Amino acid sequence: MRKIEHELEHKISAYIDALFAGVGASQQLFDLKEEITTNLNEKTLDYKNKGISEDQAFKEAIVSLGDLSGLVAEMRQIGQDKAKQAVYSTMTARISLAGTIAGALIILFGFFNVAMLYFMKLDAVSISGSGIFIVAGGALLTYSLLTRETRQKYAMNKIRAGLYALSVGLLLFGMFSAAVAGFATGEMFIAIASLMVFFLVGFGVFLFLILTGPDRRKR
């Protein structure tokens, strides 16, 4: 099964590389290639589920995309226009930077709030409740860092980055809920049960994303 999936991925990759041959590299091109890859993969699998052979399903999937010559021409123009690339990269970098700063500040606010409540000698449930800020800040920081283009790597697809943020949020929320449940009930097994539910889902999503992620390195 995995061999068949690998062959399909190779076909799609070869088709897209040939489609955009000679087009200059850019963040926009990387995003478009990833979008087309996802669409081709889903459409090919849909056709295969209808009983069509893989080769025919792949051809039908390509036909269903329609004429892509306009997109190719647009990407070629962007690849040649350094000014457009710079504007796009600068805009996304600013958004990513704002999210990174906001995420870091929310995390710090959570830690400071926990420390403040601790020295106010409040109960453990009230103290641990402020950890929700750390959960939210961690998810935002993850998303912002992954959607930032660097000299070595293109920015990650926003949907995929959102799933990474979700997985990190679930991992952190699992620890948060375990602390709150443990302090509220005084029962360790309830804390472990709370941790297990969210942590396993978050870890599963995170592992899937790592194992299926495209290469974002710039060549």
Side-chain angles (χ1 to χ4, degrees), residues 13-88:
S13 178
Y15 169 76
I16 293 177
D17 287 343
L19 180 66
F20 293 99
V23 177
S26 66
Q27 178 66 52
Q28 296 95 315
L29 177 61
F30 177 81
D31 292 339
L32 180 61
K33 280 185 173 182
E34 193 168 351
E35 182 181 345
I36 294 176
T37 297
T38 301
N39 288 338
L40 275 178
N41 191 53
E42 291 177 352
K43 289 179 181 293
T44 301
L45 293 177
D46 286 342
Y47 283 119
K48 282 182 65 179
N49 290 334
K50 295 178 181 178
I52 302 176
S53 66
E54 182 176 294
D55 288 339
Q56 187 60 35
F58 181 59
K59 292 177 182 178
E60 293 291 340
I62 292 175
V63 172
S64 69
L65 292 179
D67 184 13
L68 299 178
S69 59
L71 285 175
V72 175
E74 182 181 350
M75 290 299 108
R76 180 172 284 107
Q77 184 178 359
I78 291 175
Q80 295 170 348
D81 192 338
K82 299 299 181 183
K84 282 188 177 180
Q85 290 186 45
V87 170
Y88 183 85

Side-chain angles (χ1 to χ4, degrees), residues 9 13 17 26-27 29-31 33-34 37 152-157 160 164 209-219:
E9 291 172 1
S13 178
D17 287 343
S26 66
Q27 178 66 52
L29 177 61
F30 177 81
D31 292 339
K33 280 185 173 182
E34 193 168 351
T37 297
Q152 291 78 31
K153 290 184 177 182
Y154 290 111
M156 184 178 288
N157 175 278
R160 193 173 191 84
Y164 264 108
L209 291 170
I210 289 178
L211 295 177
T212 60
D215 186 4
R216 296 189 292 125
R217 290 176 297 178
K218 294 181 178 180
R219 296 178 175 83

Side-chain angles (χ1 to χ4, degrees), residues 57-158:
F58 181 59
K59 292 177 182 178
E60 293 291 340
I62 292 175
V63 172
S64 69
L65 292 179
D67 184 13
L68 299 178
S69 59
L71 285 175
V72 175
E74 182 181 350
M75 290 299 108
R76 180 172 284 107
Q77 184 178 359
I78 291 175
Q80 295 170 348
D81 192 338
K82 299 299 181 183
K84 282 188 177 180
Q85 290 186 45
V87 170
Y88 183 85
S89 298
T90 301
M91 180 180 65
T92 55
R94 286 176 178 172
I95 296 173
S96 175
L97 179 61
T100 300
I101 293 173
L105 290 176
I106 293 172
I107 292 173
L108 288 174
F109 176 78
F111 277 117
F112 281 125
N113 213 31
V114 168
M116 180 182 68
L117 295 177
Y118 173 80
F119 287 109
M120 289 174 64
K121 301 187 184 303
L122 295 184
D123 60 278
V125 176
S126 298
I127 295 172
S128 58
S130 295
I132 193 65
F133 292 106
I134 300 173
V135 176
L140 178 58
L141 183 63
T142 299
Y143 177 84
S144 300
L145 289 174
L146 291 176
T147 53
R148 182 178 180 84
E149 183 181 2
T150 66
R151 291 182 179 180
Q152 291 78 31
K153 290 184 177 182
Y154 290 111
M156 184 178 288
N157 175 278
K158 291 179 175 58

